[in-house]
Amino acid sequence: MNQLCVWSRPNSLHLLVQVFSCYLKPSLPQKIAHSTISRRFGSIAATTLALLAKEATFGGETANGFDFRMTAPDQTVEEAESGIRDHAQALLQVKTLIESEEWGEAQKLLRKSSSYLKQDIYTLIQGKPGTERPLLRQLYSNLFNNVTSLDYAARDKDATRVWECYRNIAVTLDDILSRL
């Protein structure tokens, strides 16, 4: 550490004494001050740490939220084709919970089944030729916008809006399945 010594004279006129004081000069070591660590690297490290801490704290389960992964990394088109009918049927089974007005359970089933269906449909769209994709993407967007709207309507316990969204989901899902 560097030592700094300073002579100082007080501003008061009645004190005629000079003061001599020494203190340690605070400074960062030169290695840290001129380090090659950038802000970007630091923010990436902090984000990674936060995500790992979340994973360690909460495990692999999400709290009944939407799963934002688009495709399973190892999912093939054949696997998506074999699972899409079951996942579509699971999504439509939310109807029984809607009829009995079990809104919380309906939301849980809706979120779970829609995330699997989303993966399957996205994988199948990616396997289609480029000319067929725009229409399928539009239907995909329409389907999952209605799923989100149904989720919000169930949260608000708005039965008419729930049934409207459910009918839109059923129609759009039939359209998508007929094109895939």
Side-chain angles (χ1 to χ4, degrees):
M1 296 231 169
N2 298 333
Q3 188 175 20
L4 181 65
C5 297
V6 179
W7 282 99
S8 65
R9 181 177 281 176
N11 287 337
S12 318
L13 294 176
H14 66 297
L15 291 175
L16 299 176
V17 179
Q18 291 183 341
V19 177
F20 179 77
S21 61
C22 290
Y23 61 92
L24 293 177
K25 179 180 173 186
S27 67
L28 293 174
Q30 291 299 322
K31 290 181 182 177
I32 294 176
H34 299 291
S35 176
T36 59
I37 297 175
S38 67
R39 274 191 237 162
R40 181 176 293 164
F41 179 74
S43 65
I44 290 171
T47 303
T48 304
L49 180 62
L51 290 174
L52 290 175
K54 178 188 163 232
E55 186 67 28
T57 304
F58 298 113
E61 292 291 317
T62 56
N64 295 319
F66 286 105
D67 189 359
F68 291 109
R69 289 176 294 151
M70 292 308 290
T71 62
D74 298 329
Q75 188 179 29
T76 64
V77 173
E78 293 78 23
E79 290 171 341
E81 285 175 347
S82 68
I84 193 168
R85 301 264 179 218
D86 295 333
H87 296 143
Q89 193 64 22
L91 180 64
L92 294 175
Q93 286 176 356
V94 76
K95 181 179 183 178
T96 58
L97 296 171
I98 293 171
E99 288 170 342
S100 62
E101 296 187 357
E102 295 180 34
W103 305 117
E105 293 301 316
Q107 285 180 289
K108 288 178 186 177
L109 179 63
L110 179 74
R111 291 171 183 170
K112 182 178 179 183
S113 60
S114 68
S115 67
Y116 294 135
L117 184 62
K118 185 179 266 194
Q119 289 176 3
D120 292 340
I121 293 174
Y122 187 82
T123 301
L124 291 173
I125 290 173
Q126 292 304 102
K128 292 289 182 182
T131 57
E132 296 177 27
R133 289 183 193 172
L135 177 62
L136 290 171
R137 286 183 182 142
Q138 179 61 40
L139 292 169
Y140 173 88
S141 175
N142 187 19
L143 174 67
F144 291 105
N145 285 340
N146 276 297
V147 167
T148 302
S149 296
L150 187 132
D151 186 33
Y152 287 135
R155 180 194 65 192
D156 297 338
K157 299 176 183 167
D158 182 358
T160 46
R161 181 79 175 126
V162 166
W163 283 111
E164 178 186 336
C165 292
Y166 181 81
R167 282 189 294 276
N168 291 341
I169 288 170
V171 168
T172 307
L173 195 54
D174 286 339
D175 196 8
I176 288 174
L177 292 176
S178 68
R179 294 176 190 274
L180 293 176

